Amino acid sequence: VRYGTSELPAHIGDIFVINRDAFHQVKSNTGIDFSYMIIDESFCRENGISTEDFLFEQTFRDHVSKSLYLAAAEKIDALAVASTPIAIAHARAAVLFFLIHLCEKHANHASSQTRESAVGEEYVKKTVSYLDEHFAEAHTLTSLSSLLGITPYHLARVFKQYTGET
C-alpha cells in the first residue's frame, strides 16, 4: 500500500486506514484479495466526529479492531439481502462502533501533518485527477506543472515521492 510518501507492506489481517484526502494506491506484483470500507465524511459529521480532527495510524492488526471491522462489514453485506430500516440501523451502529474504536485507539490529533507534505500531496492529487479527466490528451511535465503554478522539477519530485512513479 503506497500511502503518501511511504510504501507499506501488507500482511494477512492488516487493517489500513486511509486518512481524509490522503493520496494512496494499492499495488501487488502477485495479486491481492482485500476488502475495504469507506466511511464517508457526512456519516462522521452526523455522529459528531470531525474527520479533520483525527489523523489515524496507517496500519494495525490488533484482534479487537479486526473483529469490529468484520462485524461492521457483515452488517453492511447483510443489507444486500434485506435492506430494512432495522438492518440499516444495525449496519450504521456497527460502523459507528468501529469508527469510535479507531478514534479512541488508533488516532492522534490531525495537526501533526506538516504543511509542506499536505501541499505536495495536494499537487499530486490534482495532477492525477487532471490526468484521469484528460486521459486521451497528450501531456508534458511542463504543461502539467504550469496548471499547478509550480516548476516541472518540483512536480516531478513530489509525484515520484508520493506515487513511486515518474
Side-chain angles (χ1 to χ4, degrees):
V1 175
R2 179 167 279 283
Y3 187 93
T5 59
S6 303
E7 198 161 297
L8 307 170
H11 304 283
I12 293 173
D14 284 354
I15 295 176
F16 289 88
V17 176
I18 307 301
N19 285 291
R20 179 182 189 266
D21 294 331
F23 184 80
H24 63 283
Q25 298 171 301
V26 177
K27 293 182 179 182
S28 174
N29 294 333
T30 60
I32 188 170
D33 185 24
F34 65 97
S35 64
Y36 61 92
M37 178 184 306
I38 299 172
I39 303 175
D40 113 333
E41 209 168 329
S42 62
F43 178 83
C44 296
R45 268 195 316 273
E46 289 167 8
N47 290 288
I49 298 171
S50 170
T51 57
E52 295 177 6
D53 292 344
F54 295 98
L55 188 61
F56 295 96
E57 293 174 26
Q58 296 170 346
T59 184
F60 43 90
R61 64 173 71 135
D62 65 280
H63 179 71
V64 173
S65 298
K66 185 175 179 180
S67 295
L68 292 172
Y69 172 83
L70 292 173
E74 181 180 316
K75 295 294 185 185
I76 291 168
D77 289 345
L79 294 177
V81 176
S83 188
T84 66
I86 295 298
I88 292 168
H90 274 290
R92 291 178 62 85
V95 170
L96 182 58
F97 199 58
F98 176 60
L99 179 61
I100 291 167
H101 172 77
L102 292 179
C103 291
E104 290 178 340
K105 303 296 182 190
H106 299 289
N108 296 312
H109 286 285
S111 61
S112 62
Q113 184 179 27
T114 67
R115 167 119 176 91
E116 182 181 325
S117 67
V119 170
E121 190 167 335
E122 192 61 32
Y123 288 144
V124 173
K125 287 190 292 188
K126 285 180 180 179
T127 301
V128 170
S129 177
Y130 182 82
L131 290 172
D132 283 346
E133 292 171 13
H134 300 92
F135 66 90
E137 301 169 22
H139 305 284
T140 65
L141 185 58
T142 302
S143 68
L144 292 170
S145 63
S146 68
L147 289 170
L148 298 168
I150 60 176
T151 67
Y153 171 77
H154 187 62
L155 177 57
R157 186 176 60 78
V158 297
F159 197 85
K160 174 76 172 174
Q161 183 180 19
Y162 279 90
T163 67
E165 307 287 334
T166 58

